[in-house]
Amino acid sequence: MLDLRGKSDTADRAFRWIAIGAAGLVLLILGMIALSMGDRARPVIAEMGFDFFSSTRWSPPDTLYGALPFIWGTLYTALIALALAVPVSLGVALFITQVAPRWLKKPLIYMIDLVAVVPSVVFGLWGVLVLSQHFGLGRSFLTAGIILAVMITPIITSLAREVIETTPVAEKEAALALGATRWEMIRASVLPHSKGGLVGAVMLGLGRALGETIAAALVIGSALGQITPNPFAPGNSMPAVIANEWGEADDMHKSALIALAVTLFVITIVVNLIATAIVQRSMRKSRGKAT
Amino acid sequence: MATPATVQTHRAAGTPLDSRIHVERRSAPSLETSEIVFDVENAEVFYGAFRAVRGVSMKIGKHQITAFIGPSGCGKTTMLRAFNRMHDTTPGARVAGKIAYHGVDLYGPEVSATEVRRRIGMVFQKPNPFPKSIYDNIAFGPRVNGVRSKAELDAIVEKSLRAAALWDEVKDRLRNSALGLSGGQQQRLCIARTIAVEPDVVLMDEPCSALDPIATARIEELMRELKTRYTIVIVTHNMQQAARTSDRTAFFTAELDSTTDQRTGVLVEYDSTAKMFSNPSDERTENYITGRFG
Amino acid sequence: MSELRPALDLRRKRTWRSTKSTLMTVLMGAAVAVVLIPLVAVMWSVISRGAGVMLQSFPDFFTAEIPLVSRRPGPGMGPAIVGTLLATGGATLLAVPLGVLGAVYLHEYGAGSKFAGAVRFMTTVMTGVPSIVMGLFVYLMWTMRFGYSAFGGALALACLMLPVVISSTEQMLKLVPNNLREASYALGTTKSRTILTVVLPAALPGIVSGALLAIARAAGETAPLLFAVGAASTYNPHLFTEANTSLSLQIFSNATSSFVAAQDRAWGAALTLVMLTFALTLTARIFTARFALKR
């Protein structure tokens, strides 16, 4: 009788399991990050309690670890970066999608993507040797904010561009047909249509700015953290403290730095997840509308 | 064109119902004398909860061309894909009932879909050559099945391309990308690729629907040559094509289930092509063939 | 009567509305200029200050060892170039195959499964993990046990690259037409053979392009290397043993030096690193363009 059993499919099944294993690696690594870092952060939290997040004195010799100034520094520089990057990114995205002639679009997109390729340490080098010295800014919150703004602009721009390009032509023409000027058309059709996606793009930029280490570590000033809204004051941020202090840290100090990393990790993950959810929802919505 | 009043009038067998359709006069081998390749009993195909085809029973004879015709959405392609277990690759798709291939249940517990497809090849509606060279397209199947020797592969490639009437057109550019061929050439390449693994059956899913009339004529000619060595089942929406090429024809249609508002494909009539196109027993077949619906 | 009706005037009128629109358009153009200023300024600094250092002592800059005393002028980024290549190369060998396999699972096997959904979600999460967190993680898991080495850096970079490679590869697998898979199955090919011999080759240019962009990003990373690679000023061609260095680490440590000689070396290293990342990006572009032609 005809035999249709075929050869044993061991290789086929093995390949499937290898692929499952590779995919599972993502879960494994994230799980290990959470476990190992959580474990090492415990001593300092046991010592400081909630004061770790709310007290302002960070003095390793006295085993005092108050991270609030660094949390402030991280959030403040990120906000400065957003304040600078958002209007510019939005302007560039609108220019590329609504104003630029066809031949100019591709080169502009390439140029802006090129900014994203420059390593962050090179921006840091430029910030510390050129921007802070020759422009009289010194090492400060503002200098760090400017460097971060330069680095997150390409990310926000390219996402904003994608979101804006989903505006249906019909909606834009509807506004133009009523005699709207270009700016009125943007206000009436493009911006309301893209609002959700733009918020998401800004949030993703924020996530990137919060986690960026090296450029900030070089230009923020590494001053013993102070909580001040003065942008010209030197300060410190969570990643910068970790990068600068790790080398000569004892056990409890290392635990404190890891606790900082965990705090940073949690903040960035939350911001990123909210951002991704917003972007995906608005993209889905606009695609549904367009078809 | 026949009018409704003439539907019931009797005609001598062999005279086509529709004068535009030319049925080849040939001695159709009867199912009683030829070996049975497929024996289908009450086959059904589901996509999830949706029943796409139900209650199909038929026998398909060896070295014959069997055509599946019917309006779009009648389940003829769905039924065809059940013959080489292509539905296994669609999540949620399921085949019920029994499809025996040379007496072996295709959906039996020990049966390997891969082994089934090596014996039962398929040519698709849209030519789908791999983005590789002409040579590598043909050699793909043999290589997968363990042929390593260069001389042997060369021989298989030439033989398959000759069998698909493509050799003379491509013999000087076997190393060029298959994507550079015309649509008709690509489809013949896909046929050559299918027969390079020496299958027993070739399933064809509307193989000419994307081709111009000249390319279509060449494929039809090719099918008549191939049937001396292979069993062919072809799905076509083109009745002339079924009439020109096939020995037996199966007519499918879709029935609307009034409770679920879903359309399920059913096999209406299955007989020799000459009979189907001249004196069908079912009124729905006659209506379809005479062009009154579908 | 008709003489009294004003003639239809369709000429452009200068109103507040049109002025405002023009103004906003000018502002948009200005935004483009504002974005390009830092790019041009950074590139100007890197090239003008880096090229001098690099060419003054050509080819010693690329081959000589790093001076131990940082105020001494002179060339030497050879060990850093080797270190960058080791860490980035190691990371590529780890992350690209695993990332491609992970994407193969997500797109070819996992359609609709809960596990695939979880992996896809966590891949997004992992993309957002700050690079310094990856560095600390590798320090805890690897460096504390096995000491400083280029491989520790490779591990940290691989963790950063993995989610990027998974999502870019998944996008490329989506572009492979399903009829190619069917053609392969219809010839009696198993699923794994189909993936390896039909699907992946068809998606290859796009996968390579995505991987190159991920490698370019990884080559410029500093924070993940900080805790895992250590510090060295001499050649260390060994992947698994002894402290090493990298271009990015050299830029970081020399940037804050007050000695001009050290700053010069930082600029030279910066130019080298920028040329490396731009070359990788350009190669990726070429792959993308060729893929676009094929489709």
Side-chain angles (χ1 to χ4, degrees):
Chain A
M1 186 134 147
L2 182 70
D3 182 11
L4 289 177
R5 275 174 303 179
K7 289 155 285 180
S8 142
D9 283 352
T10 319
D12 201 41
R13 248 173 294 140
F15 182 78
R16 181 164 175 270
W17 280 108
I18 292 171
I20 291 179
L25 207 57
V26 171
L27 306 182
L28 185 73
I29 291 174
L30 278 173
M32 275 169 35
I33 291 178
L35 282 180
S36 67
M37 306 221 4
D39 184 52
R40 293 279 301 195
R42 238 187 358 225
V44 80
I45 301 295
E47 175 86 19
M48 298 291 299
F50 191 74
D51 283 354
F52 181 80
F53 303 102
S54 60
S55 71
T56 58
R57 227 172 102 73
W58 178 273
S59 172
D62 311 319
T63 42
L64 278 178
Y65 299 100
L68 192 59
F70 310 140
I71 298 174
W72 163 256
T74 298
L75 296 178
Y76 189 42
T77 45
L79 286 180
I80 294 175
L82 277 191
L84 295 170
V86 168
V88 172
S89 306
L90 195 59
V92 174
L94 285 173
F95 184 85
I96 291 176
T97 52
Q98 313 295 325
V99 181
R102 189 173 276 276
W103 58 267
L104 190 60
K105 280 186 183 178
K106 266 258 165 70
L108 271 180
I109 292 170
Y110 276 14
M111 292 281 269
I112 286 157
D113 284 353
L114 215 52
V115 181
V117 175
V118 176
S120 65
V121 70
V122 174
F123 280 121
L125 176 71
W126 181 75
V128 74
L129 290 184
V130 180
L131 190 64
S132 68
Q133 288 184 5
H134 299 309
F135 293 86
L137 290 170
R139 299 189 197 174
S140 61
F141 288 125
L142 181 61
T143 315
I146 292 174
I147 294 289
L148 290 179
V150 172
M151 295 176 60
I152 63 174
T153 300
I155 300 164
I156 303 180
T157 304
S158 73
L159 270 167
R161 191 166 52 77
E162 277 174 35
V163 171
I164 289 172
E165 269 172 357
T166 60
T167 314
V169 179
E171 274 182 37
K172 296 191 339 191
E173 286 178 344
L176 290 176
L178 292 171
T181 62
R182 174 149 62 201
W183 175 244
E184 286 163 347
M185 178 270 287
I186 290 172
R187 290 275 313 258
S189 305
V190 175
L191 292 184
H193 181 88
S194 330
K195 206 166 56 193
L198 292 177
V199 171
V202 171
M203 296 278 287
L204 275 182
L206 175 64
R208 184 73 203 286
L210 290 171
E212 174 50 42
T213 309
I214 288 303
L218 282 170
V219 296
I220 199 167
S222 306
L224 251 192
Q226 46 179 331
I227 303 179
T228 163
N230 175 10
F232 298 100
N236 221 335
S237 71
M238 289 190 273
V241 171
I242 302 169
N244 288 329
E245 295 190 0
W246 185 263
E248 51 262 22
D250 62 16
D251 270 1
M252 183 57 87
H253 193 178
K254 278 192 171 139
S255 171
L257 294 177
I258 289 175
L260 274 185
V262 173
T263 313
L264 180 67
F265 179 69
V266 171
I267 296 176
T268 28
I269 296 295
V270 169
V271 169
N272 275 320
L273 286 183
I274 296 174
T276 312
I278 294 175
V279 171
Q280 277 175 357
R281 212 188 55 195
S282 84
M283 290 282 215
R284 228 189 340 258
K285 217 166 60 188
S286 60
R287 224 170 296 147
K289 229 186 245 174
T291 50
Chain B
M1 162 119 203
T3 58
T6 64
V7 168
Q8 297 305 324
T9 56
H10 287 271
R11 261 175 238 90
T15 314
L17 281 171
D18 186 329
S19 58
R20 292 169 304 178
I21 298 180
H22 168 70
V23 179
E24 265 194 29
R25 288 181 175 279
R26 63 182 107 80
S27 52
S30 78
L31 275 180
E32 282 75 46
T33 54
S34 65
E35 191 184 331
I36 301 302
V37 177
F38 289 110
D39 189 347
V40 184
E41 275 173 44
N42 199 23
E44 322 212 301
V45 184
F46 295 84
Y47 293 118
F50 167 59
R51 182 158 67 174
V53 176
R54 73 170 156 82
V56 174
S57 298
M58 66 195 305
K59 288 183 169 68
I60 288 172
K62 189 173 170 138
H63 292 186
Q64 296 188 8
I65 298 181
T66 306
F68 288 2
I69 61 170
S72 47
C74 68
K76 52 194 192 298
T77 292
T78 300
M79 194 55 222
L80 188 76
R81 289 166 67 94
F83 283 114
N84 70 340
R85 293 190 54 168
M86 273 320 266
H87 288 304
D88 289 23
T89 65
T90 319
R94 187 167 59 82
V95 177
K98 191 173 175 194
I99 302 179
Y101 168 67
H102 292 295
V104 180
D105 182 2
L106 274 185
Y107 291 82
E110 296 257 280
V111 172
S112 145
T114 313
E115 194 60 25
V116 167
R117 294 191 202 117
R118 205 197 61 65
R119 290 159 198 264
I120 307 173
M122 188 163 207
V123 175
F124 296 83
Q125 183 169 6
K126 220 178 111 204
N128 54 357
F130 299 126
K132 301 173 188 282
S133 73
I134 294 170
Y135 185 97
D136 287 340
N137 261 279
I138 310 292
F140 180 88
R143 278 185 182 136
V144 162
N145 290 296
V147 180
R148 283 281 167 273
S149 122
K150 170 99 173 67
E152 211 176 323
L153 283 175
D154 286 351
I156 292 175
V157 168
E158 179 171 350
K159 198 177 110 202
S160 310
L161 284 171
R162 279 190 192 281
L166 193 59
W167 174 252
D168 290 330
E169 292 161 59
V170 301
K171 64 173 183 246
D172 300 323
R173 44 177 176 144
L174 293 176
R175 295 289 164 196
N176 292 10
S177 169
L179 301 180
L181 299 174
S182 72
Q185 287 173 323
Q186 285 189 4
Q187 195 60 300
R188 276 180 284 145
L189 180 80
C190 291
I191 293 173
R193 183 176 66 186
T194 303
I195 59 186
V197 294
E198 297 182 352
D200 173 40
V201 180
V202 178
L203 306 175
M204 296 185 167
D205 181 11
E206 302 193 22
C208 302
S209 66
L211 306 182
D212 61 57
I214 295 171
T216 301
R218 300 204 61 165
I219 303 259
E220 287 179 7
E221 198 185 316
L222 181 58
M223 282 165 56
R224 280 189 286 266
E225 280 169 40
L226 291 176
K227 93 174 208 194
T228 57
R229 276 174 295 145
Y230 306 100
T231 304
I232 296 175
V233 184
I234 177 172
V235 164
T236 177
H237 59 223
N238 177 336
M239 278 182 287
Q240 283 92 334
Q241 183 168 57
R244 280 192 300 262
T245 57
S246 71
D247 302 301
R248 301 182 67 81
T249 298
F251 170 64
F252 289 79
T253 193
E255 280 182 351
L256 187 68
D257 185 327
S258 52
T259 53
T260 59
D261 203 35
Q262 284 172 337
R263 292 163 67 85
T264 298
V266 290
L267 175 60
V268 175
E269 190 174 357
Y270 176 49
D271 213 322
S272 80
T273 301
K275 169 98 170 13
M276 288 285 281
F277 281 92
S278 57
N279 193 15
S281 348
D282 196 292
E283 195 179 340
R284 290 170 292 177
T285 314
E286 184 159 345
N287 286 343
Y288 182 71
I289 284 171
T290 52
R292 261 191 297 277
F293 93 100
Chain C
M1 240 345 236
S2 64
E3 293 90 7
L4 289 178
R5 225 166 78 191
L8 185 61
D9 184 5
L10 285 177
R11 281 170 304 169
R12 197 187 288 257
K13 279 176 294 255
R14 193 169 287 277
T15 62
W16 166 234
R17 288 173 54 212
S18 70
T19 314
K20 191 174 171 188
S21 185
T22 313
L23 187 72
M24 294 317 280
T25 307
V26 169
L27 280 179
M28 289 174 211
V32 174
V34 168
V35 169
L36 295 181
I37 286 169
L39 178 67
V40 172
V42 170
M43 291 315 292
W44 170 253
S45 297
V46 168
I47 292 170
S48 65
R49 300 197 54 179
V53 184
M54 202 183 266
L55 298 176
Q56 205 172 36
S57 46
F58 186 82
D60 283 2
F61 183 81
F62 298 105
T63 55
E65 300 199 325
I66 304 159
L68 261 179
V69 185
S70 68
R71 73 169 171 275
R72 187 186 302 155
M77 274 296 145
I81 295 172
V82 170
T84 292
L85 294 180
L86 275 179
T88 314
T92 306
L93 291 181
L94 287 170
V96 172
L98 288 171
V100 169
L101 279 169
V104 161
Y105 170 74
L106 289 185
H107 192 256
E108 306 292 322
Y109 289 101
S113 88
K114 281 218 173 83
F115 180 67
V119 170
R120 201 173 282 121
F121 178 75
M122 287 304 173
T123 305
T124 318
V125 170
M126 201 170 164
T127 314
V129 175
S131 59
I132 194 158
V133 172
M134 284 302 184
L136 278 184
F137 166 63
V138 168
Y139 177 86
L140 295 179
M141 301 308 290
W142 178 268
T143 315
M144 271 174 63
R145 267 161 243 179
F146 305 101
Y148 291 128
S149 67
F151 187 71
L155 277 179
L157 294 180
C159 287
L160 285 175
M161 286 171 67
L162 185 68
V164 181
V165 175
I166 289 179
S167 28
S168 73
T169 304
E170 199 192 354
Q171 292 305 315
M172 291 305 137
L173 292 177
K174 279 183 189 160
L175 295 178
V176 176
N178 210 28
N179 64 23
L180 288 186
R181 294 183 183 87
E182 293 201 326
S184 175
Y185 292 142
L187 293 167
T189 315
T190 59
K191 189 156 186 169
S192 56
R193 284 289 294 250
T194 300
I195 291 167
L196 290 171
T197 56
V198 175
V199 178
L200 287 178
L204 192 66
I207 293 174
V208 170
S209 168
L212 283 173
L213 289 177
I215 297 169
R217 275 220 75 85
E221 281 288 353
T222 316
L225 306 182
L226 222 44
F227 315 123
V229 168
S233 59
T234 56
Y235 278 108
N236 175 8
H238 305 290
L239 182 59
F240 293 100
T241 50
E242 297 297 314
N244 215 314
T245 185
S246 79
L247 287 167
S248 56
L249 287 174
Q250 286 299 321
I251 300 170
F252 182 59
S253 59
N254 284 323
T256 44
S257 169
S258 48
F259 301 115
V260 176
Q263 293 179 3
D264 280 347
R265 275 192 294 277
W267 286 113
L271 180 56
T272 315
L273 192 55
V274 166
M275 289 194 314
L276 180 69
T277 52
F278 278 21
L280 286 166
T281 312
L282 194 69
T283 319
R285 280 271 144 69
I286 293 169
F287 269 100
T288 316
R290 283 188 50 190
F291 191 51
L293 281 182
K294 248 185 175 171
R295 269 191 297 131

